Amino acid sequence: MDISQKTTNMGEKRGTKKRVNVRYLTMTAMLSAVAYIMMFLDFSVPFMPSFIKMDLSELPALIGSFTFGPVCGVLICLIKNLLHLFISTTGGVGELSNFILGAVFVWPAGLIYKRKKSKQMALIGSLSGAVIMGLISVVSNYFLVYPVYYNFMDKELILASYQLIVPSVKNIFQCVVYFNMPFTVLKGLFSALITFVVYKPLSPILKGTR
């Protein structure tokens, strides 16, 4: 191979890499915007107190994590919460908790899927991420989120909201373990289920192969 051919090949590789980087950044920004919008599309669920809402804003992050790798998923979680800071009512604590939970969900899911891109590994990754997110939510809610809530809502009133559903709970820690942890796992599983439905048709569009 002569010098001119080497130069041409190097130029082609640089051009391809540049296009990939531009698409990566563009798709990350787009998925972050969708995730931010989805934070407002929350809804109540019958087995949780009314002040706790379900949203599926981790869904775009999970799709990004499967499509472009776990770093992309974490970036989407970060960007959506940075945007939400402008209208935060928790002084950033709620956003910090949301970022931590989203990151520990999409990072292992994307990392496991990256090792072998198959439905089985996507399922294992999603289940692992959902369980880890549920466990971390105990720490996040008990030490970060609820101490902030106490500034707006009496601690006993919060406990009473849970006791209306299950009278046997005695304290906030039990509430977080019995309610918030399975709720968070279920939230992750919902995102994973929708991802399994939409990922195949969306993937070539996001990657620009169609």
Side-chain angles (χ1 to χ4, degrees):
M1 182 182 293
D2 57 31
I3 295 176
S4 61
Q5 288 177 313
K6 288 182 180 179
T7 304
T8 301
N9 289 340
M10 288 177 64
E12 289 176 351
K13 288 179 181 178
R14 286 172 183 166
T16 301
K17 186 176 181 180
K18 185 176 180 180
R19 286 194 297 272
V20 170
N21 288 340
V22 170
R23 186 156 201 89
Y24 178 91
L25 293 173
T26 302
M27 292 298 104
T28 299
M30 186 195 74
L31 289 169
S32 299
V34 174
Y36 173 67
I37 293 170
M38 292 184 75
M39 293 180 80
F40 298 96
L41 304 177
D42 54 9
F43 53 93
S44 300
V45 291
F47 55 87
M48 294 293 289
S50 59
F51 59 86
I52 295 178
K53 307 289 186 180
M54 169 79 80
D55 74 75
L56 299 176
S57 61
E58 279 78 35
L59 171 60
L62 184 61
I63 292 173
S65 191
F66 282 161
T67 307
F68 300 108
V71 174
C72 176
V74 173
L75 282 174
I76 293 168
C77 292
L78 176 62
I79 293 170
K80 72 164 184 174
N81 281 291
L82 288 176
L83 292 172
H84 200 267
L85 276 175
F86 292 101
I87 56 170
S88 176
T89 58
T90 63
V93 174
E95 287 73 22
L96 175 61
S97 175
N98 188 282
F99 166 67
I100 292 171
L101 295 182
V104 300
F105 173 46
V106 303
W107 177 267
L111 196 63
I112 291 172
Y113 181 69
K114 188 177 180 180
R115 292 181 179 275
K116 184 181 180 182
K117 295 186 177 182
S118 66
K119 286 186 178 180
Q120 182 181 9
M121 295 303 282
L123 178 61
I124 293 172
S126 298
L127 290 175
S128 300
V131 170
I132 293 170
M133 181 169 66
L135 293 172
I136 297 298
S137 74
V138 175
V139 178
S140 175
N141 281 300
Y142 191 73
F143 292 104
L144 283 177
V145 177
Y146 276 62
V148 174
Y149 277 7
Y150 300 153
N151 294 318
F152 308 99
M153 188 183 299
D154 185 75
K155 186 175 182 179
E156 295 303 317
L157 185 60
I158 293 176
L159 179 60
S161 299
Y162 284 102
Q163 290 174 331
L164 285 174
I165 304 169
V166 178
S168 61
V169 292
K170 307 288 186 194
N171 52 59
I172 295 295
F173 184 76
Q174 285 185 350
C175 296
V176 170
V177 172
Y178 297 161
F179 287 86
N180 294 61
M181 183 171 68
F183 170 80
T184 305
V185 174
L186 184 63
K187 180 181 176 181
L189 293 179
F190 273 144
S191 292
L193 178 62
I194 298 172
T195 300
F196 271 77
V197 174
V198 303
Y199 180 72
K200 189 173 182 179
L202 277 182
S203 179
I205 298 172
L206 294 172
K207 292 178 180 178
T209 56
R210 191 174 76 182

